[in-house]
Amino acid sequence: MSNEFEQEYFGFEPQKPITEKQPAPEAAPPQRTPVPDTAPQEAQSFNPIRHTAVYSDNRFEQQPPQRAPQRAPQAAPEIAAAPPVEPAPDAKPQKAPEAKANTALVIVVIVMSLLLCAGMFGILAYSVFQSNDADGKGSQKTQDSQTSRRSQDAPDRDFIISTPDEPQNPFNFQIEDQPQAKEHPESDYSDQIDKNYAGLTLAPKPEDAQTNPAYTAENAYQATAASVVSVLCYENEIGDNKSATSQGSGTIISEDGYLITNSHVVSNSKTAYAIKVVTADGKEYTAGVVGCDSRTDLAVLKLKDAKGLKAATFGDSDELQLGEDMLIIGNPGGIDYQNSLTKGVVSAINRDASNKNIAKYIQTDAAINPGNSGGPAVNLYGQVIGVASAKISNEQYEGMGFCIPSSQTKKIVDSLIRNGYVEGRVRIGITGIAATSAEAKKYNISGGIVIESISLGGPCDNGTLKPGDVITALDGKPIASFSDIYEILESYKPGEKATLSYYRPDVGKSFETEIELQEDR
């Protein structure tokens, strides 16, 4: 399956903007004179994110030692010899006056000392300067600061994060000397689709839901825990639990090993990782990706040679009420804390929180931590009513987690199992990142998607668009985020044509081009 705008985790926009605390600037090295850098100050690193932050090296120009003007020693004036004087009988002997030549000697010593000090200072400054630039360390410092800035940009743009499961380089930046990730075609389980899959069943609440005292958190956990698994992903070969590149949770939905997790857990790909799944009773299985959908952050995996597993019971999230108790079961922090339970309430429903996908979330104050991603959200009746996906990770917010409702999960999962992709979806065939407010202001546009790459043979591979262009509208409808473009594309069918409006920064003009939409498989 080819999904454009593939992202490893999803951004959220709270009602009030959040300003991240910026790290304190490094103190400038003592006794160095900065020389203004006249090189263009622009950080260009984007795959698929683009930054406008300005970085520059602190370069120091070695100054030659400043020598104090040297005065030529002046000859001492001659003193005429006086006739000897006989001391008085009772007078004390008088001390002879010091020669004035001693003053010139003192001056010479002081001047030489100053010159020596200046020379030592120059040598010290030169040594420090050379140590900063030796072996490229000066440029490496700038690269490190840019890398740090990249991670700081993530909360500004993609503010909600709940993924241990995210790789070390979550936005696929091209960093020098970084080895290319290994592909894992063995994890592509496209051949494990089931055209005859009956579909996920959503059960209603029990008739005695309001009267039966047996519906407790303890009983709900006991009814569901055996269906919760750990998902461990490896960039290279499958190894021990601690060597996994990312870890998440999942929920078994069939006795022969189909399970649900988050798409970002498997990096929105069928071949990014080798995958191991560990069940609640400790059994280990090799697994593969049947299908994934980055637009809703859902994926279906299949366990190899599995049988007799306990499938979870699913409830209907449309029956949820505000204030209703709900549980999160999963592996916060990874498999070491497998099948942990947290409890909270339904804080809000149908929450449009993401700027990266089209899901409408259940908001809860039940703790969701890295590693919970893909695990079940459960009501007190032991029914899975959602899939834990993300949380607000910011010191100014507490207890704001988000789950994909079971009613939306069913539609996506049913299609992924039957087809390996979400049937009827269209794509425009690009990857990119939402333009920042600074970029929008600079280009005098309301917003848009900055193109990072164009899929070969895709709708936009017509020779008109190129990386760096900013898509601003689709058939006249403004685009400011991924959720905007996804929602617009939901109303189109494969083969239909659409007009893309885009801005080209290097010429400072806007253009339009017509494309034919393709099915997103």
Side-chain angles (χ1 to χ4, degrees):
M1 180 181 67
S2 174
N3 284 314
E4 75 255 20
F5 309 119
E6 292 183 349
Q7 304 293 321
E8 283 71 12
Y9 58 79
F10 296 88
F12 290 70
E13 297 173 333
Q15 303 251 335
K16 295 183 179 179
I18 294 195
T19 302
E20 294 284 350
K21 292 183 178 178
Q22 299 299 321
E26 295 183 2
Q31 302 298 328
R32 297 183 182 179
T33 305
V35 175
D37 189 355
T38 57
Q41 297 182 355
E42 181 178 6
Q44 304 248 3
S45 192
F46 103 163
N47 183 5
I49 193 168
R50 195 165 178 268
H51 299 284
T52 58
V54 176
Y55 308 98
S56 63
D57 289 318
N58 289 325
R59 298 184 176 89
F60 297 91
E61 181 177 318
Q62 181 190 359
Q63 300 293 334
Q66 300 298 320
R67 300 177 179 269
Q70 183 174 351
R71 296 180 181 179
Q74 299 178 358
E78 293 185 3
I79 303 176
V85 176
E86 292 293 332
D90 297 334
K92 294 182 180 180
Q94 293 185 358
K95 196 173 184 180
E98 295 181 359
K100 294 185 178 180
N102 290 346
T103 303
L105 180 61
V106 171
I107 293 175
V108 171
V109 171
I110 292 175
V111 170
M112 295 302 294
S113 299
L114 291 174
L115 291 176
L116 179 61
C117 291
M120 293 180 63
F121 177 81
I123 293 172
L124 178 62
Y126 181 80
S127 300
V128 174
F129 176 82
Q130 286 295 97
S131 66
N132 282 342
D133 280 349
D135 302 323
K137 291 181 181 178
S139 60
Q140 182 63 45
K141 182 177 180 181
T142 301
Q143 179 178 329
D144 292 344
S145 67
Q146 290 178 356
T147 304
S148 175
R149 176 61 182 168
R150 289 168 187 160
S151 66
Q152 291 170 14
D153 276 349
D156 293 340
R157 296 187 182 196
D158 311 301
F159 166 66
I160 292 187
I161 300 172
S162 143
T163 62
D165 1 288
E166 67 200 44
Q168 292 298 314
N169 189 20
F171 291 117
N172 296 323
F173 284 105
Q174 297 302 314
I175 300 177
E176 293 181 6
D177 301 326
Q178 185 181 29
Q180 295 295 319
K182 179 181 178 181
E183 288 291 316
H184 292 275
E186 74 277 9
S187 296
D188 185 350
Y189 275 30
S190 297
D191 59 348
Q192 298 292 313
I193 62 172
D194 182 359
K195 288 288 186 181
N196 299 318
Y197 180 61
L200 198 63
T201 300
L202 303 183
K205 289 181 179 180
E207 293 183 357
D208 59 348
Q210 302 299 322
T211 59
N212 191 338
Y215 296 129
T216 63
E218 180 182 2
N219 289 336
Y221 176 84
Q222 294 299 329
T224 311
S227 304
V228 183
V229 300
S230 296
V231 180
L232 296 94
C233 301
Y234 301 81
E235 282 188 344
N236 297 306
E237 303 303 321
I238 292 177
D240 59 30
N241 297 339
K242 294 187 181 300
S243 65
T245 303
S246 73
Q247 298 188 41
S249 303
T251 307
I252 297 172
I253 61 174
S254 71
E255 61 88 22
D256 60 345
Y258 284 105
L259 66 90
I260 301 171
T261 188
N262 282 148
S263 182
H264 74 251
V265 170
V266 295
S267 193
N268 299 310
S269 171
K270 294 182 180 180
T271 60
Y273 297 126
I275 303 171
K276 178 173 72 175
V277 170
V278 182
T279 57
D281 58 1
K283 293 182 180 179
E284 297 184 356
Y285 295 86
T286 299
V289 183
V290 177
C292 56
D293 178 41
S294 61
R295 300 190 191 184
T296 54
D297 195 22
L298 289 169
V300 172
L301 309 187
K302 179 73 163 58
L303 307 187
K304 184 178 180 180
D305 300 328
K307 55 181 66 174
L309 300 178
K310 184 179 185 331
T313 299
F314 279 72
D316 189 351
S317 59
D318 289 343
E319 295 184 356
L320 286 176
Q321 301 293 323
L322 288 178
E324 182 178 337
D325 288 336
M326 65 181 295
L327 317 173
I328 301 294
I329 304 175
N331 315 310
I335 196 170
D336 288 343
Y337 301 97
Q338 188 175 21
N339 273 23
S340 293
L341 170 70
T342 58
K343 181 182 178 183
V345 299
V346 176
S347 303
I349 56 177
N350 202 37
R351 184 69 86 192
D352 185 11
S354 173
N355 64 2
K356 289 289 185 67
N357 61 57
I358 56 177
K360 306 296 183 183
Y361 291 86
I362 304 167
Q363 180 184 328
T364 180
D365 64 344
I368 297 176
N369 292 290
N372 280 123
S373 298
V378 184
N379 60 21
L380 290 185
Y381 319 115
Q383 300 172 333
V384 177
I385 43 81
V387 177
S389 181
K391 64 177 288 186
I392 292 184
S393 180
N394 185 279
E395 63 182 11
Q396 299 182 33
Y397 286 76
E398 190 71 35
M400 293 184 69
F402 296 87
C403 305
I404 306 163
S406 60
S407 57
Q408 296 180 41
T409 300
K410 172 180 168 55
K411 298 175 184 178
I412 303 301
V413 168
D414 288 355
S415 188
L416 291 178
I417 293 179
R418 292 170 185 156
N419 307 295
Y421 59 90
V422 179
E423 192 175 12
R425 285 266 183 83
V426 296
R427 70 188 187 106
I428 61 175
I430 68 166
T431 61
I433 183 68
T436 64
S437 57
E439 287 170 330
K441 183 177 181 180
K442 177 180 177 181
Y443 303 148
N444 195 26
I445 58 178
S446 59
I449 301 295
V450 181
I451 298 176
E452 185 276 328
S453 66
I454 298 174
S455 302
L456 292 176
C460 289
D461 188 20
N462 57 8
T464 302
L465 292 161
K466 67 178 184 179
D469 291 343
V470 185
I471 297 176
T472 56
L474 177 62
D475 277 343
K477 300 174 182 177
I479 295 171
S481 66
F482 289 104
S483 58
D484 289 341
I485 198 167
Y486 285 152
E487 288 179 5
I488 295 171
L489 290 176
E490 286 291 301
S491 62
Y492 288 82
K493 296 179 180 179
E496 292 183 341
K497 294 185 177 181
T499 299
L500 279 178
S501 301
Y502 64 97
Y503 177 83
R504 180 158 291 170
D506 56 0
V507 298
K509 293 182 180 180
S510 295
F511 303 91
E512 289 186 347
T513 185
E514 187 176 69
I515 62 173
E516 183 175 326
L517 301 171
Q518 296 177 352
E519 187 168 24
D520 186 11
R521 297 192 173 203

